[in-house]
Amino acid sequence: MSGTAVFEVTVERLVAGGEGLARRGGKALFVAGLLPGERAAVRLVESRKDFDRAALVEVLDPSPDRVRPACALAGRCGGCDWLHVSHDAEIRLKRAIVRETLRRTGRIERDEPPLEAGPPLAYRNRVQLHRHPSGALGYREAGGHRVVEARTCPVAVGPINALLADPPPPESIALDRFTAFGDAAWVACEGRDDDRELTVGVADRTVAFSVGCFFQSNLAALQGLARHAAAAAGSGAAAADLYAGVGLFSAPVAGRFERMVAVESSARSLAFAARNAAPAALEVFPMTVEQWIATGAAGGPFDAVIVDPPRIGLGRGVRAWLASARPRTLVYVSCNPSTFARDAATF
């Protein structure tokens, strides 16, 4: 149920995902584009049993942390959620979201979760682009399915912006939606450069992959992330990298373990993982983690297990296996604080 009536709310705090939490008649109401303490006029767009969702109409009392977005498409384009927030405030608010999510969902108290801040703009190396009927490229609109033309993108690296400014003709990329990956001087597009081998530097290593492989989207942040993961994994007799991708996390530590297992459903990504780990050897399993467990291939024991699951987090069976396997160290790389907190509560 939605309506056209406009009403006022005041945001209490931000929740995982960046939406503002307000209350209306005691019921939780979520609104994107607002900051804690802001009073705003909003319009109801969705009503469910446990919560409602509203669209922002006008900010009536802006927060001192609010800034003019660096992009004219902010609020319309679904690619960014934080351009209306100062960078210092974004760091502070994201830390608070992680702390609150760990407390509420995971029952884990962490007063100050460590946080490394990357650059506020021109950091994104990997994007998913959509072809607009005009032939231009862009992103999906916020909360919808239409394509918003984007001739420039302030959060993307330069070569991706060059692609947006001068889109390749449709006949050169026969896809309406495709991944583009760019580094300092080049860009590769899915559907055009699938057979091209790409390489980037990550934590003093050269990592090879292709544009169709899953890869982290922020190379600046990945440098610290890869070092943290490698240091945490330690060394020992055996380790496993689940959802291994192209071996971003297993390749740097493979030589520290007598046996290094990599599990990944994409055979193409797994082939790159084996190459990226050389001269150390990987014992590879081209299957889902669930299949690896169900078929009895998991074996063990493992001194360390690295997991980098999708946004939905670890499945129930994977959590159960980890709880029973009891590795000395579990390194969990997550892009979703809510599912991470849920999984952490299991352990």
Side-chain angles (χ1 to χ4, degrees):
M1 181 184 71
S2 62
T4 57
V6 174
F7 54 94
E8 293 184 13
V9 296
T10 299
V11 172
E12 298 176 6
R13 58 183 175 87
L14 299 190
V15 299
E19 288 183 306
L21 170 64
R23 303 281 175 180
R24 189 189 186 207
K27 190 177 182 183
L29 176 76
F30 298 106
V31 191
L34 288 174
L35 290 167
E38 287 189 326
R39 184 172 63 91
V42 302
R43 175 176 52 83
L44 188 69
V45 295
E46 182 182 3
S47 182
R48 296 191 180 185
K49 179 181 178 180
D50 298 324
F51 67 90
D52 293 337
R53 184 164 274 115
L56 174 62
V57 175
E58 181 183 2
V59 179
L60 303 175
D61 290 325
S63 164
D65 293 326
R66 179 173 288 275
V67 297
R68 182 182 181 87
C71 180
L73 299 177
R76 287 180 52 211
C77 172
C80 296
D81 299 317
W82 292 83
L83 288 181
H84 61 290
V85 188
S86 74
H87 191 50
D88 287 344
E90 179 180 353
I91 295 168
R92 184 178 73 250
L93 290 167
K94 284 183 174 178
R95 179 181 281 115
I97 287 171
V98 172
R99 183 173 59 241
E100 179 69 7
T101 306
L102 284 173
R103 187 182 69 82
R104 285 179 175 270
T105 305
R107 302 184 296 281
I108 298 170
E109 294 288 348
R110 289 290 298 272
D111 290 336
E112 286 296 329
L115 187 147
E116 289 195 9
L121 300 172
Y123 64 83
R124 193 169 180 97
N125 298 86
R126 182 177 181 268
V127 297
Q128 187 174 88
L129 298 175
H130 298 256
R131 181 78 68 173
H132 190 272
S134 68
L137 300 176
Y139 302 102
R140 283 277 179 86
E141 67 178 348
H145 298 285
R146 291 181 296 182
V147 179
V148 178
E149 292 186 49
R151 298 292 180 173
T152 184
C153 178
V155 302
V157 295
I160 291 177
N161 272 283
L163 189 73
L164 293 171
D166 185 19
E171 57 267 23
S172 69
I173 302 178
L175 296 171
D176 292 330
R177 179 184 67 184
F178 60 91
T179 296
F181 191 99
D183 201 359
W186 54 265
V187 65
C189 298
E190 190 180 12
R192 184 188 70 185
D193 304 310
D194 296 342
D195 295 329
R196 177 180 168 188
E197 182 175 304
L198 312 176
T199 59
V200 295
V202 179
D204 303 321
R205 296 181 67 90
T206 297
V207 178
F209 62 104
S210 68
V211 70
C213 300
F214 172 77
F215 204 91
Q216 299 289 334
S217 61
N218 185 335
L219 281 179
L222 180 59
Q223 306 303 321
L225 175 60
R227 289 189 177 95
H228 283 306
S235 60
D241 183 10
L242 311 185
Y243 317 92
V246 299
L248 277 172
F249 304 114
S250 53
V253 302
R256 302 182 198 164
F257 293 88
E258 297 172 23
R259 179 187 179 218
M260 185 76 216
V261 171
V263 184
E264 166 58 47
S265 60
S266 167
R268 183 171 177 80
S269 293
L270 202 55
F272 278 112
R275 288 179 49 195
N276 289 327
L282 288 186
E283 186 177 331
V284 299
F285 291 85
M287 58 183 66
T288 68
V289 176
E290 287 78 6
Q291 290 170 334
W292 180 69
I293 294 168
T295 58
F302 294 100
D303 297 300
V305 174
I306 305 168
V307 297
D308 181 17
R311 292 188 62 82
I312 60 173
L314 302 174
R316 189 186 302 272
V318 179
R319 296 199 300 271
W321 177 81
L322 282 165
S324 63
R326 300 183 66 83
R328 180 190 65 209
T329 301
L330 172 62
V331 180
Y332 193 137
V333 179
S334 172
C335 60
N336 185 335
S338 296
T339 53
F340 168 71
R342 177 203 66 198
D343 294 348
T346 302
F347 307 126

